[in-house]
Amino acid sequence: MKKTVLTFALLLITTIGFSQEAFKKDVVNYLEVSGQSNTFKMITKDLVNNIPEAKKAEFQKELDASINDLMSKMADMYMSEFTHDEIKALLKFYESPVGKKLTDKTEVLYNKGQTVGQEWGMGLQTMMMKYMQ
């Protein structure tokens, strides 16, 4: 009886472990296809230019590892907020033509968004000054 219970427990733990691995793999895939990982690469690409030429390759390697670690932590975060089925639905969207277009436009939208945000911030400053006097 003890062997049966132990065998069942080990089988259950193994199944849950594989299920969690598949879930995390799908979340990491979602972060890739949705463009989120590329956003971090895009944001940090200018950092490399500040590093002396002789150390750029080593820095880039460490930066890439840092981004991979960040993606793993973000995957854990998503796993705490979404079910595996919800992530699969998100993947389905991002693998669709409109999802791919959204991902392809990430950098353009980011750059335009910065401009819009700066304009809004300047207007907000003007508005605040009006009320602070």
Side-chain angles (χ1 to χ4, degrees):
M1 179 70 174
K2 286 183 183 180
K3 285 185 179 181
T4 304
V5 172
L6 182 60
T7 302
F8 179 72
L10 287 173
L11 182 62
L12 182 62
I13 291 169
T14 302
T15 303
I16 290 171
F18 284 132
S19 176
Q20 286 295 99
E21 282 182 37
F23 186 12
K24 188 159 188 173
K25 184 178 177 184
D26 282 345
V27 174
V28 170
N29 187 27
Y30 159 74
L31 293 171
E32 288 290 328
V33 299
S34 68
Q36 292 188 46
S37 62
N38 285 338
T39 300
F40 291 107
K41 291 174 185 171
M42 180 183 65
I43 291 170
T44 59
K45 72 180 177 186
D46 290 335
L47 296 177
V48 178
N49 295 332
N50 295 319
I51 304 299
E53 195 64 41
K55 297 180 181 180
K56 278 186 182 183
E58 186 177 337
F59 175 78
Q60 186 67 56
K61 184 178 178 181
E62 195 168 336
L63 179 62
D64 290 344
S66 171
I67 290 172
N68 288 339
D69 184 52
L70 175 63
M71 290 299 104
S72 179
K73 289 176 181 174
M74 287 187 67
D76 293 337
M77 179 186 71
Y78 274 78
M79 290 171 72
S80 72
E81 300 295 329
F82 292 92
T83 67
H84 196 175
D85 286 338
E86 290 169 332
I87 292 296
K88 287 178 182 179
L90 286 168
L91 279 169
K92 189 173 183 178
F93 167 75
Y94 278 100
E95 290 168 348
S96 73
V98 71
K100 288 178 181 178
K101 181 176 182 178
L102 179 60
T103 301
D104 290 343
K105 296 291 183 179
T106 298
E107 188 168 358
V108 171
L109 293 170
Y110 175 80
N111 290 332
K112 287 183 176 182
Q114 278 190 314
T115 302
V116 169
Q118 287 171 350
E119 291 170 0
W120 175 77
M122 288 189 292
L124 186 59
Q125 251 182 336
T126 303
M127 183 191 326
M128 287 176 63
M129 293 305 292
K130 181 171 85 173
Y131 289 95
M132 292 176 74
Q133 295 176 351

